[in-house]
Amino acid sequence: MSGGATFLGMPAFPANAAVAVRDSQLRYNLRKATHTIRGKRAAVVGELPDWAELRRAGKEIRDHTLRNLERYLVRMEEAVTAAGGHVHWAADAKEANRIVADLVKATGETSVVKVKSMATQEIGLNEALELEGITAYETDLAELIVQLGDDWPSHILVPAIHRNRAEIREIFREKMADWGRAAPADLTDDPRALAEAARLHLRERFLSTRVAISGANFMIAETGTLVVLESEGNGRMCLTLPETLISVVGIEKLLPSWQDLEVFLQLLPRSSTGERMNPYTSTWTGAVEGQEFHLVLLDNGRTNVLADEIGRQALRCIRCSACLNVCPVYERAGGHAYGSVYPGPIGAILTPQLRGTASKLDASLPYASTLCGACLDACPVAIDIPEVLVHLRGKVRHARVERLGMRAAGWVFDRPARLARAQRLGGRLRRFVPGRLPGPLSAWTDTRDIPDIPPESFRDWWDRTDGGVQ
Ligand code: SF4
């Protein structure tokens, strides 16, 4: 039994996409699913005459919260603590995984149920728990399909969007028994039969597991309340049945007050599932009788994103997935090509900021777009994804030039004789050094002078004058 696949070591986006576009079944599944959700979204968004105002309000609330994040985080901590909960701060994935593993071990349990949480996928929590002898059971239907299939999520809202009904039936028939109650032998690919098999399988798990791990769509600083929006009711089971609840939430998920939530309860369901309201909205504040509550506040690169004036708008994201459903690149390449739990346009700007651009895959992500602008039009919090993509491309180029320069410098400095030859050559060619660098490098010399190269190096001067004696 495995905790799931990881994205580590994947090739760059173009190589991944080239494989994906040859898979005609995948392209068909993606096109059908994204176009269906896209149509539903357009219909329910069109019903609201004040959609533009709602969108503006959503953007402003998120920007205000991010500008005052420190203040609201402290308020959140105080409110959760006052309500009997425990707050933990995690600077990175390793620290968050350690905190969660220790909390689970302290209960004496060796299994946990999980309700969909992208933050825990981002930090590889299932794999970290597996190393500690703890099994994490996914309870969201799509996440269950991904976990049973030892697969990767490929969409923010519909992680198994790349699978069709027949494939899901095979996964259930072959793998369900390894994780608990087996699928019926005569299981068909009728959606109701598949849902019933999952329901029976999960119900057993909910009733027998005493620790739950969740994410949250929002946190309300005013009262220390967490909010989860979902469609299946698995979230409600996870949040209420177990004796210990651990929520791992990115620090950017804050809203200042309950009144702000009103805006997002309109923006999110319409933008994500194309519904006026999602079936289940659960809220909880601190501990309740019979249940211990822990909140793990996760940074993992978010404060670095916040420091970038252009890139920080990515933290406004409410993970609705509307940008994925309208993106022509995502529709053809699918989610796996992005090599991250965050695929599509939002992944192309968020992943390289959270993980950096040192790997070929992460450096290629800002280029995984035609810059058509459809993502910006669809985004309910008006994130200018094309602007951030162009900004990140500039940073990737800059980093490449810097890396080339450092490699060349490393080669020269590696041998003293090589350095001496380079210095002599520099002295001879000093007349030809321009005042300004050409082409794309000119930006560097727009605000700096190239220093003069001395006619003689210090080393040659020392040799010639015996250290200044002659
Ligand atoms: S970037 Fe905007 S459209 Fe895309 S998932 Fe985030 S909130 Fe939704």
Side-chain angles (χ1 to χ4, degrees):
M1 216 161 57
S2 152
T6 81
F7 291 110
L8 280 179
M10 278 183 78
F13 181 84
N16 296 333
V19 174
V21 293
R22 285 199 289 271
D23 185 339
S24 55
Q25 180 67 56
L26 175 70
R27 284 212 320 275
Y28 174 80
N29 294 355
L30 282 170
R31 186 178 161 76
K32 190 160 182 289
T34 54
H35 280 243
T36 305
I37 305 175
R38 199 197 288 193
K40 283 174 71 183
R41 176 196 165 273
V44 293
V45 165
E47 287 174 356
L48 290 184
D50 61 346
W51 182 256
E53 283 79 23
L54 272 171
R55 196 172 177 241
R56 198 171 315 124
K59 173 180 184 292
E60 282 169 10
I61 292 168
R62 299 292 292 139
D63 276 345
H64 166 82
T65 316
L66 292 170
R67 270 198 306 275
N68 299 281
L69 195 57
E70 200 179 321
R71 176 155 61 94
Y72 288 121
L73 281 169
V74 171
R75 193 174 293 173
M76 181 76 196
E77 181 184 31
E78 287 167 356
V80 171
T81 309
H86 305 272
V87 177
H88 311 261
W89 299 81
D92 55 24
K94 197 171 163 203
E95 195 175 356
N97 289 335
R98 179 78 268 143
I99 292 168
V100 177
D102 286 346
L103 288 172
V104 178
K105 283 205 249 176
T107 67
E109 296 294 314
T110 54
S111 61
V112 299
V113 279
K114 279 180 69 202
V115 59
K116 193 166 97 175
S117 155
M118 303 207 73
T120 60
Q121 291 171 358
E122 175 191 320
I123 61 176
L125 178 65
N126 289 13
E127 294 74 20
L129 291 178
E130 198 179 347
L131 291 175
E132 304 273 355
I134 300 162
T135 308
Y137 294 90
E138 297 290 349
T139 66
D140 178 87
L141 177 55
E143 293 292 347
L144 175 71
I145 296 164
V146 168
Q147 184 171 49
L148 296 181
D150 199 16
D151 200 354
W152 302 320
S154 67
H155 190 277
I156 289 177
L157 185 73
V158 200
I161 199 169
H162 54 288
R163 297 288 195 190
N164 61 24
R165 291 195 270 150
E167 290 173 306
I168 294 167
R169 181 190 57 175
E170 285 316 302
I171 291 170
F172 278 10
R173 285 216 305 220
E174 283 173 22
K175 298 287 178 62
M176 232 176 204
D178 296 345
W179 290 81
R181 184 187 173 112
D186 59 350
L187 182 66
T188 67
D189 66 1
D190 175 49
R192 270 169 306 192
L194 294 173
E196 180 64 6
R199 197 179 71 80
L200 293 172
H201 175 84
L202 288 172
R203 187 60 61 102
E204 271 192 11
R205 186 61 57 202
F206 286 129
L207 293 173
S208 60
T209 310
R210 292 157 64 172
V211 181
I213 297 174
S214 86
N217 291 96
F218 304 106
M219 300 185 286
I220 299 174
E222 184 181 38
T223 54
T225 305
L226 281 87
V227 185
V228 160
L229 280 70
E230 42 126 5
S231 301
E232 297 164 16
N234 62 318
R236 180 100 16 122
M237 297 268 208
C238 262
L239 299 170
T240 54
L241 288 176
E243 290 160 18
T244 302
L245 172 61
I246 305 165
S247 299
V248 183
V249 189
I251 53 173
E252 84 283 16
K253 291 288 182 79
L254 274 170
L255 296 178
S257 69
W258 276 95
Q259 202 170 351
D260 299 316
L261 184 64
E262 173 194 340
V263 172
F264 293 94
L265 288 185
Q266 294 178 77
L267 287 175
L268 183 52
R270 286 175 196 260
S271 301
S272 56
T273 48
E275 294 168 304
R276 295 186 185 101
M277 178 48 71
N278 50 292
Y280 296 90
T281 300
S282 301
T283 66
W284 69 102
T285 307
V288 292
E289 201 184 328
Q291 191 184 61
E292 191 172 309
F293 173 61
H294 295 268
L295 170 61
V296 182
L297 291 168
L298 175 73
D299 184 332
N300 204 31
R302 285 159 174 79
T303 43
N304 294 338
V305 183
L306 205 52
D308 186 317
E309 274 183 32
I310 295 173
R312 70 170 64 136
Q313 55 186 307
L315 295 180
R316 288 207 297 264
C317 177
I318 56 172
R319 313 276 190 269
C320 71
S321 75
C323 56
L324 278 66
N325 299 330
V326 296
C327 177
V329 176
Y330 174 84
E331 186 185 315
R332 284 156 186 84
H336 292 161
Y338 295 80
S340 160
V341 61
Y342 305 113
I346 181 59
I349 61 168
L350 193 56
T351 306
Q353 295 198 81
L354 290 176
R355 297 200 302 216
T357 55
S359 77
K360 277 192 178 158
L361 171 65
D362 293 336
S364 71
L365 289 176
Y367 296 89
S369 168
T370 61
L371 302 180
C372 70
C375 48
L376 168 59
D377 292 342
C379 179
V381 283
I383 298 173
D384 194 338
I385 294 176
E387 182 191 27
V388 183
L389 286 167
V390 171
H391 170 65
L392 292 176
R393 288 178 188 186
K395 284 178 97 171
V396 168
R397 269 200 308 273
H398 183 79
R400 262 190 214 138
V401 171
E402 205 173 80
R403 261 201 306 279
L404 274 177
M406 293 311 271
R407 215 174 288 155
W411 184 79
V412 172
F413 284 113
D414 197 35
R415 299 268 161 77
R418 207 179 272 161
L419 175 62
R421 276 203 301 279
Q423 285 172 326
R424 258 174 241 132
L425 186 67
R428 270 182 227 133
L429 298 177
R430 58 196 289 268
R431 283 188 314 233
F432 304 108
V433 175
R436 293 256 175 278
L437 289 173
L441 300 176
S442 63
W444 200 79
T445 47
D446 281 350
T447 53
R448 299 173 184 82
D449 293 326
I450 296 184
D452 278 341
I453 299 178
E456 185 178 37
S457 72
F458 175 77
R459 183 192 301 251
D460 286 346
W461 170 84
W462 187 275
D463 285 347
R464 182 171 58 75
T465 64
D466 194 15
V469 174
Q470 296 167 12

